[in-house]
Amino acid sequence: MDFILISDFLDEIGCCRICTLRFLKPNIDDFLDVENSLKSKGIPINQQCKHETKRPKTNTCVACFNVFNFIDEIIMKVKSSEWLKHYEVKRFVTSYSLPVSLDLAQLQIWLALIEKFPNMFDSERPPDISIKDVMKNILNTKLSDDLHKEFHPDGMMINIFFVIDNEPEMMTKLESVAPELMVERNKQRKKFRTEIVSRNYFEKFFIPKNIKLEKFRQEFSVPPQEPSSALQLEKITFTGPTVFVAGRYNKFSRALSQSPWILNGKRITEGSVQEVIVDAIASYFKVSESSMTFMSSGREDVDVRCLGRGRPFVLEIMNSAKTFLDPSSAVQMEEKVRKSNVVAIRDLQMIPRDDLRHIKSGEEDKKKIYRALCTVDSDVTVEILERLNIEKEFEIQQWTPLRVLHRRTLMQRPRMIYGVKAFAVKDKPNLIVLDIVSQAGTYIKELVHGEFGRTTPSISSLIDMEIDIVALDVMDIDLNFPKSLNRT
Amino acid sequence: MEKFYLNENEYPEGVSSITKFDTGEYPSVVDRYFTRFYHKKTSEDGNENEDHLILYHSNRVCLIGLAQSHIAFKKGIVGITYNIGNCDRSLNQVKGKHKKGGMNLQPLTTLAIITCKDGSEYKVLSCVTGKLIETNDRLKGNLNKLSIEGSGYVAIVLIKPENCEKAKSSLVSEKDYIPSCSF
Ligand SMILES: [Zn+2]
């Protein structure tokens, strides 16, 4: 590849030194010292050099619209931002919103390069290292030094927005140069009421392979002319990282739902486990309650308590200001939740995103231990109790319960019951307490009364008499996640 | 018996034992989830009670069966078939959340025919407009189940949301129900 010829051409059409280097197959690190990298590619520094690396604003680069001139301004603005104090994080990433005009300019140069150097540039593979990648490389290195933070994908995001005047006007011309490429886009636009073309759409479809040069030249010059409108740094925003906090919760009330129970805009029950927990945690991470998502390992009906070690849960916290949870703050949160008297949490800790799988997958492998309070019509006998002390595991077949049939598929599911223990209650002869160890996903109420024969065998069919369940507690969920902290 | 007594000391402080739950006025499974409706029907001569019982769940699932006063119980039931005019209802299959493929039913669609000791036959009707979800194959070997409220359902029918009010108003509520031929 003849770098000098290409470099001369790019220089002539009005590319800055950084952009010239972008088209000379560089490594990404070459941009940390542009002149030296150009030199090593055989481009002399004084080679009819009309243009400086940083051009004066009157002389705008046709490829990048002088976007690289903003680097110092960006660093200055980031460093002086109030948000840096808000986000107590040690890592950062940057994201860029650049006008589509820059993609158009790239296409114009690309077409010109193919015309001029037909054997050196491909019509599908981009001819350059993108502006975004170069910006990232330069800025991330500088910001990392200036902010004393590490560049890392899990960090807070610094979003840098550029805009340009007259862009929409220019974009309408795309329709006339490549109407066939706009068919799909116009469908999307009708649906989503979005901009004429997005960067993604442009980059995917507007490539030389899909463009008829003659037609394209009717609206756009190849190579491009000096831009008539200026690029502006519109704003810089910050987004905190997404973090995950896990724990286990107890629910002591039979009137409290796990998540807010709202039907047709009306609240059915007051409060919820989720709200109590979120309320105790949100302020530490400096987020609103709506940026937290509550997940748990299964759920039960409202009237079921959750005792014992409790149910594992995870909170996904978006735009978090912190990436750590110190033990004393965690204990404070646990104490605050306990004051609700209906919910308690324990083992509160940060977890990596990967650990979500413990909550999300393998639902059917988990064992759950329940305690059910049941009534029988006659007095409980030793014979009944003995029949219901079952150490050997057995399988049941359970049709989708009638109470959820309207929204779930009708099917018969096999479920394992790993053991049953039966207890009598002093002075209450018609009550039986059953401790049941079952495969997760078993409908316990139906397992007890049999639901008109739709669950078989059932506790009712095993003792061949009517038995009904009046109260149910989860005593344990056999999942060792998150790890026990033994804090209290 | 003592050795079976539950140890209630295992509960942590502030958490009440499950046995403290007030079981006083706890309604039965049918009463908890369903509302009773009746479809009144007499034989052509008007002398025999062929009333149906519809257990209506608030989620639009209905269990269709015979009312306790149905004449067939007095006569003694010896058979049931879902095979009506070469269309066997018990082969009905529904797929997915939307119950695709279920037979569409009108109130007068026959779900099953029961046979009594004296050879007389009685149709079990759908009573509501809806979709057939499930028949009850457990009845075949156990015909006395037919008289048990709930377990004796002949079919499960799902009513479309927009047809629920119409269905309920075409039936007789438990409060207003007087068995047919009870003069
Ligand atoms: Zn440039």
Side-chain angles (χ1 to χ4, degrees):
Chain A
M1 184 172 257
D2 200 331
F3 288 141
I4 295 189
L5 283 179
I6 298 168
S7 157
D8 279 350
F9 175 73
L10 293 169
D11 189 54
E12 203 176 296
I13 66 171
C15 285
C16 69
R17 298 289 274 175
I18 296 178
C19 287
T20 298
L21 181 58
R22 289 200 298 116
F23 287 91
L24 300 181
K25 314 276 168 210
N27 291 319
I28 190 71
D29 288 333
D30 291 347
F31 292 94
L32 296 178
D33 186 347
V34 173
E35 284 309 323
N36 205 26
S37 302
L38 283 169
K39 202 170 137 200
S40 73
K41 290 186 179 288
I43 317 296
I45 195 155
N46 56 352
Q47 183 229 7
Q48 335 158 322
C49 181
K50 295 188 299 243
H51 312 300
E52 304 283 342
T53 302
K54 288 170 190 168
R55 317 170 125 253
K57 292 233 168 173
T58 47
N59 195 358
T60 313
C61 169
V62 293
C64 70
F65 294 37
N66 291 2
V67 72
F68 299 109
N69 282 2
F70 288 97
I71 286 175
D72 290 342
E73 187 183 341
I74 292 168
I75 291 172
M76 199 264 293
K77 284 191 167 158
V78 170
K79 274 173 73 175
S80 61
S81 171
E82 284 294 305
W83 289 105
L84 273 191
K85 288 186 210 96
H86 175 88
Y87 293 106
E88 301 170 44
V89 303
K90 293 193 175 70
R91 294 163 159 181
F92 77 98
V93 280
T94 49
S95 87
Y96 304 87
S97 170
L98 293 163
V100 193
S101 291
L102 294 182
D103 282 306
L104 178 62
Q106 184 228 33
L107 177 62
Q108 288 169 291
I109 296 168
W110 192 350
L111 288 164
L113 285 170
I114 290 175
E115 193 179 40
K116 186 95 177 167
F117 308 101
N119 298 323
M120 287 190 235
F121 291 95
D122 193 84
S123 68
E124 281 187 75
R125 233 170 334 124
D128 58 348
I129 298 248
S130 73
I131 291 172
K132 210 177 258 190
D133 286 344
V134 175
M135 278 293 265
K136 248 185 214 171
N137 189 257
I138 298 175
L139 261 178
N140 289 351
T141 309
K142 294 198 174 191
L143 281 173
S144 167
D145 289 345
D146 282 3
L147 303 179
H148 308 292
K149 291 184 193 295
E150 179 198 359
F151 169 75
H152 194 282
D154 292 344
M156 69 166 171
M157 193 176 276
I158 303 170
N159 312 290
I160 301 155
F161 293 84
F162 288 96
V163 286
I164 199 165
D165 304 330
N166 304 335
E167 179 151 277
E169 194 184 313
M170 196 156 49
M171 289 304 137
T172 50
K173 294 181 184 171
L174 289 174
E175 179 91 53
S176 62
V177 299
E180 66 284 357
L181 295 181
M182 292 300 288
V183 175
E184 272 306 305
R185 183 64 188 173
N186 288 337
K187 277 187 205 159
Q188 293 176 8
R189 284 186 66 206
K190 268 195 188 139
K191 213 162 147 187
F192 304 114
R193 300 175 167 275
T194 172
E195 71 264 49
I196 295 172
V197 265
S198 65
R199 282 183 63 90
N200 275 341
Y201 193 87
F202 193 100
E203 286 167 19
K204 190 165 171 202
F205 295 104
F206 285 81
I207 55 175
K209 184 181 166 241
N210 298 339
I211 298 286
K212 292 185 188 74
L213 188 56
E214 289 320 306
K215 213 167 180 189
F216 188 79
R217 278 203 154 114
Q218 289 169 8
E219 295 289 352
F220 302 106
S221 60
V222 176
Q225 311 264 302
E226 181 168 332
S228 56
S229 42
L231 192 68
Q232 291 157 23
L233 178 61
E234 186 195 17
K235 60 179 175 183
I236 300 175
T237 64
F238 296 78
T239 314
T242 297
V243 299
F244 299 89
V245 172
R248 301 179 82 106
Y249 80 76
N250 288 129
K251 179 169 96 76
F252 301 122
S253 163
R254 297 192 190 281
L256 190 72
S257 58
Q258 178 176 281
S259 45
W261 189 2
I262 294 162
L263 203 67
N264 303 326
K266 268 176 71 182
R267 266 206 103 98
I268 306 293
T269 51
E270 200 50 50
S272 65
V273 172
Q274 177 185 322
E275 286 160 289
V276 172
I277 297 175
V278 160
D279 183 55
I281 293 179
S283 65
Y284 175 86
F285 292 96
K286 305 187 200 172
V287 296
S288 69
E289 293 175 2
S290 60
S291 57
M292 304 178 94
T293 308
F294 188 83
M295 290 163 272
S296 69
S297 171
R299 58 161 67 202
E300 302 291 336
D301 296 334
V302 181
D303 56 1
V304 178
R305 296 189 300 182
C306 188
L307 309 177
R309 288 191 297 166
R311 183 182 299 279
F313 70 90
V314 176
L315 273 172
E316 178 175 358
I317 305 170
M318 286 176 302
N319 196 9
S320 169
K322 288 184 190 164
T323 52
F324 54 90
L325 172 57
D326 59 81
S328 67
S329 299
V331 169
Q332 276 175 25
M333 293 172 191
E334 292 175 4
E335 283 167 358
K336 186 169 181 202
V337 169
R338 193 68 188 85
K339 286 203 181 98
S340 71
N341 286 325
V342 282
V343 184
I345 53 175
R346 65 166 58 76
D347 298 335
L348 204 60
Q349 58 194 279
M350 305 280 294
I351 56 152
R353 181 187 286 269
D354 274 358
D355 281 3
L356 276 186
R357 70 197 143 87
H358 295 296
I359 288 255
K360 288 186 166 171
S361 68
E363 181 63 21
E364 312 214 332
D365 308 332
K366 290 170 202 155
K367 283 183 191 175
K368 298 199 174 176
I369 302 170
Y370 291 91
R371 176 165 287 177
L373 181 66
C374 306
T375 56
V376 283
D377 292 337
S378 53
D379 285 359
V380 176
T381 61
V382 168
E383 196 190 350
I384 292 172
L385 293 165
E386 276 173 348
R387 180 70 193 91
L388 290 180
N389 273 295
I390 307 166
E391 277 170 34
K392 205 164 163 270
E393 62 177 41
F394 60 102
E395 192 181 76
I396 60 161
Q397 297 291 333
Q398 195 157 50
W399 284 100
T400 309
L402 297 171
R403 62 196 163 91
V404 299
L405 187 54
H406 60 298
R407 56 188 166 88
R408 301 234 173 106
T409 300
L410 173 71
M411 59 186 291
Q412 199 178 34
R413 296 172 182 84
R415 293 286 183 242
M416 289 307 297
I417 307 301
Y418 300 103
V420 181
K421 274 198 192 111
F423 304 95
V425 182
K426 208 176 170 204
D427 302 326
K428 291 183 181 170
N430 69 326
L431 294 185
I432 302 182
V433 171
L434 295 176
D435 283 357
I436 300 167
V437 185
S438 71
Q439 183 183 356
T442 307
Y443 293 100
I444 298 297
K445 293 175 182 175
E446 283 72 14
L447 166 68
V448 172
H449 58 63
E451 202 189 23
F452 314 136
R454 298 178 77 253
T455 291
T456 47
S458 63
I459 300 297
S460 172
S461 75
L462 289 175
I463 55 175
D464 196 23
M465 61 190 288
E466 296 281 316
I467 178 167
D468 198 4
I469 176 167
V470 294
L472 182 62
D473 291 333
V474 175
M475 302 305 279
D476 193 26
I477 294 161
D478 184 26
L479 174 64
N480 289 319
F481 170 83
K483 64 179 187 291
S484 169
L485 296 177
N486 296 320
R487 244 187 324 234
T488 37
Chain B
M1 187 58 108
E2 281 70 28
K3 67 169 182 166
F4 286 102
Y5 282 153
L6 181 70
N7 174 7
E8 302 191 39
N9 300 327
E10 288 165 0
Y11 285 89
E13 205 189 312
V15 179
S16 61
S17 166
I18 195 167
T19 60
K20 300 288 181 288
F21 185 83
D22 180 15
T23 59
E25 294 294 306
Y26 205 72
S28 73
V29 177
V30 169
D31 288 316
R32 275 210 294 284
Y33 296 118
F34 297 92
T35 311
R36 290 181 190 82
F37 284 97
Y38 294 87
H39 169 74
K40 289 182 66 162
K41 184 175 186 297
T42 52
S43 55
E44 272 170 40
D45 60 17
N47 290 333
E48 288 180 345
N49 174 318
E50 296 182 26
D51 290 354
H52 287 51
L53 169 67
I54 297 96
L55 295 176
Y56 179 90
H57 193 287
S58 57
N59 68 3
R60 316 187 317 273
V61 168
C62 291
L63 303 188
I64 313 292
L66 302 182
Q68 299 289 338
S69 55
H70 197 288
I71 184 79
F73 291 123
K74 284 194 195 92
K75 292 187 174 180
I77 299 168
V78 294
I80 180 167
T81 177
Y82 285 103
N83 198 347
I84 315 293
N86 288 329
C87 171
D88 192 341
R89 316 303 197 218
S90 63
L91 301 178
N92 184 75
Q93 274 191 336
V94 291
K95 279 209 180 89
K97 285 181 186 171
H98 298 288
K99 318 289 182 294
K100 278 202 181 126
M103 181 182 178
N104 287 317
L105 303 170
Q106 299 300 320
L108 295 179
T109 308
T110 304
L111 294 170
I113 292 173
I114 50 171
T115 314
C116 293
K117 263 184 200 146
D118 65 357
S120 55
E121 292 184 337
Y122 296 93
K123 289 175 177 172
V124 183
L125 303 180
S126 170
C127 303
V128 295
T129 303
K131 195 180 258 184
L132 181 61
I133 305 297
E134 194 177 301
T135 55
N136 189 352
D137 58 9
R138 288 172 294 276
L139 293 175
K140 283 209 168 132
N142 217 334
L143 289 164
N144 54 0
K145 265 210 163 84
L146 270 165
S147 64
I148 303 171
E149 190 179 63
S151 302
Y153 72 91
V154 172
I156 296 172
V157 178
L158 184 64
I159 308 181
K160 280 187 185 171
E162 61 268 29
N163 291 337
C164 284
E165 285 316 307
K166 206 180 118 204
K168 282 192 272 188
S169 62
S170 71
L171 301 170
V172 182
S173 71
E174 185 177 8
K175 179 168 67 74
D176 296 334
Y177 174 65
I178 301 161
S180 302
C181 316
S182 56
F183 31 80

